[in-house]
Amino acid sequence: MNCQHARLWITIIPAEWFWCARTWVLDGAGLDVDFLISSPSGQILYSDYRKSDGMHTVETVDGDYMFCFDNTFSSVSEKLVFFELILDNMDADEEPDDWKEYVHGTDMLDMKLEDIMDTINSVKSRLGKSVQIQTVLRAFEARDRNLQESNFDRVNFWSVVNLVAMMLVSGVQVYLVRSLFEDKRKIRT
């Protein structure tokens, strides 16, 4: 894939993180695009050719990653692509414990506050995942709606073409039937 004529994004991702890249073609003829992920060393990690969607997970090293979208095989139509990059730090256990400095009391109170903080962090994590899932569902909805509108326009166009053809054919038939019963004699008896 030649990324010189394609859309590309370069982003810096720290080491020892996992990331997941998801792509969906939402609109455009064929609903397909070429996609390439390149590591900081220039090595191609993933490449998808003429795919409508994809999901790739990678454990990272420090550096710049290149994400390349190529639509040069389709010179007529443009594409609308949804791209999501989810970063996940596997060392997320290092929670900030600044709140412990402000709490003075018994060990039981400290234990209860830690339980509350664990619950809050769990809820925060789940809400973040819910937002991601809703974003993905919105992307699917947009893709389906664009496809449906495209089909609706195509059906309407061909319905009008068929209606015009039927009107022309019916006009020709009426003319031909009338010409069969028309009296062409000049003298009537």
Side-chain angles (χ1 to χ4, degrees), residues 1 34 42 51 65 111 116 126 130 146 159 179 183 187:
M1 177 185 314
D34 294 344
K51 298 267 179 118
Y65 285 81
M111 179 85 105
I116 291 171
R126 290 181 181 156
S130 295
N146 289 334
S159 295
S179 69
D183 191 11
I187 303 174

Side-chain angles (χ1 to χ4, degrees), residues 25-86:
V25 180
L26 301 178
D27 193 18
L31 294 176
D32 55 354
V33 72
D34 294 344
F35 177 64
L36 173 112
I37 301 174
S38 176
S39 72
S41 64
Q43 177 184 7
I44 295 176
L45 300 175
Y46 292 104
S47 60
D48 289 336
Y49 296 99
R50 301 193 85 168
K51 298 267 179 118
S52 63
D53 58 7
M55 185 169 96
H56 306 291
T57 305
V58 176
E59 183 175 358
T60 64
V61 295
D62 243 354
D64 297 337
Y65 285 81
M66 182 176 67
F67 304 94
C68 177
F69 297 91
D70 187 12
N71 190 33
T72 55
F73 61 85
S74 175
S75 60
V76 176
S77 68
E78 59 183 37
K79 306 286 172 51
L80 176 64
V81 178
F82 172 79
F83 175 68
E84 179 182 33
L85 182 64
I86 302 169

Side-chain angles (χ1 to χ4, degrees), residues 175-189:
Y175 173 75
L176 288 176
V177 169
R178 279 190 174 176
S179 69
L180 287 176
F181 293 107
E182 190 176 279
D183 191 11
K184 296 182 183 177
R185 290 183 276 166
K186 294 188 178 190
I187 303 174
R188 295 185 186 205
T189 53

Side-chain angles (χ1 to χ4, degrees), residues 71-106:
N71 190 33
T72 55
F73 61 85
S74 175
S75 60
V76 176
S77 68
E78 59 183 37
K79 306 286 172 51
L80 176 64
V81 178
F82 172 79
F83 175 68
E84 179 182 33
L85 182 64
I86 302 169
L87 295 174
D88 188 17
N89 186 357
M90 298 310 287
D91 297 329
D93 298 334
E94 301 171 7
E95 304 267 337
D97 291 333
D98 294 339
W99 60 273
K100 290 181 181 180
E101 296 174 9
Y102 302 107
V103 177
H104 303 288
T106 64

Side-chain angles (χ1 to χ4, degrees), residues 8 17 19 32 44 46 60 63 82 108 128 133 138 140 154:
L8 62 102
W17 282 53
W19 55 263
D32 55 354
I44 295 176
Y46 292 104
T60 64
F82 172 79
M108 188 60 143
I133 290 171
R138 267 187 255 127
F140 278 130
R154 191 176 321 148

